[in-house]
Amino acid sequence: MKNPGRSPLDALFRAPVLIAVLMAGEALALIMALAWEATGPRLVQFGLASLGIQWVSLATLCLLYLLRRPLARLPPPLLAWLCLAFLLCMTLLVASAAWSLLEISTNATEGRTSFVLRMLAIAVIVGLLMLLTYQNYWHAKQLAVRAKQLELEALQARIRPHFLFNTLNTGAALVHQRPEEAERLLLDLSDLFRAALAGPREISLADELSLVRRYLEIEGLRFGQRLRVEWQLPEVMPALSVPALSIQPLVENAIRHGVEPAASGGDVSVAIAESGGMVEIRVGNALPTAPVRPTTGHQVGLNSVRARIQAMTQGLGSVETQAKDGRYTAVLRLPMP
């Protein structure tokens, strides 16, 4: 399932990029004002060039924003050339309007066609430079994401052996006493490791919750009545993509640090709600009343999930934690598509 958060266009609509586009436009206007043969005050030339360039750049960005959903389905090379075509179309419209409305034709040394062609030539050169710059940026970003994924796989490898060891011990204990439950445990374990071995990818929120349920079934066989699970899910699940095995590590941490240390066990809650264009996924557990041995706690799983969410959403998503009123809660926030 393709996630719009990975479209190259999304980076264009962030505040730093928009400011950079405006500043680059002003720099280009200054260069043009200084390079042109002055037919009037250069400050006026700069103002006219700035007005035209900002109209072209902002109109192009608005058009790309309105068409961002269908354009996100295109391959990046085709998308890049289409963006250049939009830039040239906007340049043609603005240059033609500028000639007619601002009476640039008072410059007797240049005709309308020559003026428009010169503006298009400048737009082609600037557009190609921007495409080259953005191509390098996007390639570097993809390499950075891949490096982060490799780091995350190493982090996850530190979590899985602990879970596998406990699950196999539980299965061995159930083989003779409750063979049907042992078979179900192995099937659930197979589904989880099939998802883990598939590598970094994105799946629907509903599929991720299905993997969480399988994990909780396995741990339920291990802890019995010591593990109490509470679900708070909406009637209609948000049509959202998440990194595979991103919620499961939060639930695993809740069990490991909230249920396992307590002799009487504990509860784990999973709640999903929509708020302000974001989907909030809350995983909470009761903190043990008795002091436990100091540990780095939730950090390995949290660091893995946090980095994957930030990479998938271009920094728009987040993972936050809080300990309050005897509960530890991890909150995963994702923007709605």
Side-chain angles (χ1 to χ4, degrees):
M1 179 178 300
K2 188 173 180 61
N3 191 320
R6 291 214 173 183
S7 170
L9 285 179
D10 288 346
L12 293 177
F13 309 123
R14 302 178 67 181
V17 177
L18 293 176
I19 294 175
V21 170
L22 294 177
M23 296 302 296
E26 292 302 294
L28 178 59
L30 181 60
I31 293 174
M32 293 175 64
L34 294 175
W36 281 349
E37 180 181 353
T39 58
R42 291 196 180 273
L43 186 60
V44 175
Q45 297 289 336
F46 169 74
L48 293 175
S50 175
L51 180 64
I53 290 171
Q54 298 303 348
W55 266 105
V56 170
S57 59
L58 293 178
T60 303
L61 287 174
C62 288
L63 181 60
L64 291 175
Y65 183 79
L66 293 175
L67 299 176
R68 67 191 183 282
R69 294 187 184 277
L71 291 178
R73 304 187 185 100
L74 300 177
L78 178 58
L79 177 60
W81 288 109
L82 196 57
C83 291
L84 180 59
F86 288 161
L87 177 65
L88 295 180
C89 289
M90 289 300 171
T91 302
L92 177 61
L93 292 175
V94 172
S96 300
W99 183 273
S100 302
L101 299 178
L102 301 180
E103 298 181 354
I104 297 180
S105 58
T106 54
N107 181 4
T109 62
E110 186 175 33
R112 178 192 183 97
T113 302
S114 176
F115 172 77
V116 172
L117 290 177
R118 183 156 60 90
M119 295 301 102
L120 288 175
I122 294 175
V124 169
I125 294 173
V126 173
L128 290 176
L129 289 175
M130 292 177 62
L131 287 181
L132 181 60
T133 301
Y134 193 77
Q135 181 183 19
N136 292 334
Y137 160 79
W138 185 252
H139 182 63
K141 188 174 185 63
Q142 294 299 99
L143 290 178
V145 170
R146 180 55 185 160
K148 178 61 68 175
Q149 288 173 342
L150 293 175
E151 178 183 347
L152 296 177
E153 290 173 2
L155 284 173
Q156 290 177 339
R158 295 170 55 188
I159 303 174
R160 292 173 189 154
H162 173 85
F163 167 61
L164 178 61
F165 176 78
N166 290 330
T167 302
L168 292 178
N169 279 344
T170 302
L174 292 173
V175 166
H176 298 292
Q177 299 177 1
R178 290 176 286 176
E180 292 182 357
E181 292 184 352
E183 180 182 1
R184 188 183 69 185
L185 178 146
L186 293 177
L187 291 175
D188 289 340
L189 181 63
S190 173
D191 289 337
L192 285 172
F193 270 81
R194 184 181 298 111
L197 294 175
R201 60 194 177 97
E202 296 171 25
I203 61 176
S204 68
L205 178 58
D207 289 341
E208 174 66 14
L209 291 179
S210 178
L211 293 175
V212 172
R213 289 184 185 276
R214 284 169 169 75
Y215 170 75
L216 287 172
E217 288 176 358
I218 293 174
E219 294 293 58
L221 293 174
R222 175 186 168 201
F223 288 101
Q225 295 183 351
R226 292 178 59 204
L227 173 60
R228 299 174 291 277
V229 182
E230 178 184 0
W231 293 90
Q232 298 178 12
L233 305 180
E235 294 183 1
V236 179
M237 193 64 61
L240 188 71
S241 294
V242 298
L245 296 179
S246 57
I247 302 177
Q248 182 271 335
L250 303 182
V251 176
E252 182 174 353
N253 280 335
I255 292 177
R256 184 177 181 184
H257 303 287
V259 178
E260 187 174 357
S264 60
D267 66 278
V268 174
S269 62
V270 181
I272 297 178
E274 296 183 33
S275 176
M278 303 288 286
V279 174
E280 291 189 354
I281 305 168
R282 294 178 173 267
V283 177
N285 62 272
L287 293 173
T289 55
V292 297
R293 180 174 58 87
T295 176
T296 56
H298 302 69
Q299 295 308 310
V300 173
L302 281 175
N303 290 338
S304 172
V305 175
R306 182 178 290 113
R308 296 169 71 194
I309 292 299
Q310 290 179 349
M312 186 193 79
T313 63
Q314 306 289 336
L316 299 178
S318 65
V319 178
E320 300 175 356
T321 61
Q322 61 178 2
K324 184 179 180 181
D325 299 331
R327 292 192 66 80
Y328 185 95
T329 305
V331 183
L332 191 158
R333 292 185 177 89
L334 291 169
M336 288 292 294

